[in-house]
Amino acid sequence: AQSVSQHNHHVILSEAASLELGCNYSYGGTVNLFWYVQYPGQHLQLLLKYFSGDPLVKGIKGFEAEFIKSKFSFNLRKPSVQWSDTAEYFCAVKGQGGKLIFGQGTELSVKP
Amino acid sequence: KAGVTQTPRYLIKTRGQQVTLSCSPISGHRSVSWYQQTPGQGLQFLFEYFSETQRNKGNFPGRFSGRQFSNSRSEMNVSTLELGDSALYLCASSGTVSTDTQYFGPGTRLTVL
């Protein structure tokens, strides 16, 4: 069965620090990969997605993610975080079955 | 373009009752998926409907059911509510292809007392 693992449950950073959130998935076939963000009191929003092509994808608000097929990973990065990036981040994978499987989420707290 | 809308936004029920939640997808989207979000289990897939047919189903008991109408609006029903059904229920819509991106609504917060 497909599964998604996010390594960090809670990350605390100071503003301007760099961010990397880990995401690994287990599925041997073709996958579509997503990062969603849930700001406090708001609904899930798409940050970025990978379907095919360049494994380095850029999303909104300066976020990017790199798909490394050999490592089954899709890590999220941002060079310099802001207080407004405080949110919960979810990695998700969709395989050929069509179900979107989410990781447990990583809560990011950015101190001003 | 209007986003995914869900009604009601908040709901309080007691054990044993049943509940129906509604979801209106983005205009032109034909696929609707439902998820349950809880602090302990995270986001779990319930089911997906496409053109009024259930296309995928998660690992939830038969008390959880859904349907989709010809205008792509979807409803989710939970019968014989249990305390553990307290959760945020999210609806997401996407286009015609199963690989399309899903866009989420604000959710319905269900509390079972």
Side-chain angles (χ1 to χ4, degrees):
Chain A
Q2 285 175 244
S3 65
V4 179
S5 173
Q6 292 183 238
H7 315 306
N8 315 98
H9 295 296
H10 192 186
V11 172
I12 302 173
L13 295 172
S14 297
E15 274 194 316
S18 64
L19 170 72
E20 180 158 4
L21 301 182
C23 172
N24 285 89
Y25 64 92
S26 65
Y27 183 71
T30 302
V31 292
N32 300 131
L33 300 160
F34 306 83
W35 275 97
Y36 283 87
V37 61
Q38 193 170 32
Y39 297 103
Q42 296 187 30
H43 59 276
L44 274 169
Q45 299 171 41
L46 181 70
L47 261 183
L48 47 80
K49 61 185 177 184
Y50 173 80
F51 281 7
S52 64
D54 189 343
L56 184 63
V57 293
K58 295 193 184 300
I60 60 170
K61 303 187 181 186
F63 286 91
E64 65 178 31
E66 185 176 13
F67 169 52
I68 303 179
K69 190 174 180 181
S70 61
K71 294 184 178 180
F72 297 90
S73 71
F74 190 55
N75 293 353
L76 181 71
R77 300 194 290 248
K78 185 171 183 178
S80 175
V81 295
Q82 300 172 312
W83 176 79
S84 58
D85 293 324
T86 294
E88 190 157 16
Y89 293 81
F90 295 90
C91 179
V93 172
K94 184 184 274 194
Q96 284 188 327
K99 295 181 189 181
L100 190 61
I101 307 298
F102 283 87
Q104 281 294 95
T106 297
E107 189 179 340
L108 172 65
S109 300
V110 180
K111 295 189 218 177
Chain B
K1 203 183 247 190
V4 178
T5 58
Q6 292 186 245
T7 56
R9 292 293 311 279
Y10 301 91
L11 207 46
I12 299 175
K13 293 285 188 179
T14 56
R15 279 182 298 174
Q17 287 188 306
Q18 76 164 23
V19 68
T20 299
L21 312 181
S22 181
C23 171
S24 292
I26 292 171
S27 177
H29 283 186
R30 291 169 61 187
S31 171
V32 173
S33 298
W34 289 88
Y35 297 84
Q36 182 194 67
Q37 186 177 19
T38 59
Q41 299 296 318
L43 278 152
Q44 293 188 288
F45 173 79
L46 278 154
F47 28 67
E48 178 194 9
Y49 286 86
F50 180 78
S51 291
E52 302 177 67
T53 302
Q54 189 178 85
R55 189 157 70 174
N56 272 303
K57 190 176 189 306
N59 298 322
F60 278 82
R63 300 185 297 105
F64 292 81
S65 63
R67 59 179 176 167
Q68 186 180 34
F69 302 95
S70 58
N71 61 358
S72 294
R73 190 177 70 84
S74 177
E75 287 182 348
M76 190 193 99
N77 186 75
V78 188
S79 62
T80 320
L81 283 166
E82 299 176 1
L83 294 179
D85 296 333
S86 294
L88 182 67
Y89 290 89
L90 296 171
C91 167
S93 77
S94 60
T96 57
V97 180
S98 64
T99 53
D100 282 351
T101 300
Q102 292 188 5
Y103 295 91
F104 284 80
T108 294
R109 171 75 62 187
L110 172 64
T111 302
V112 182
L113 304 176

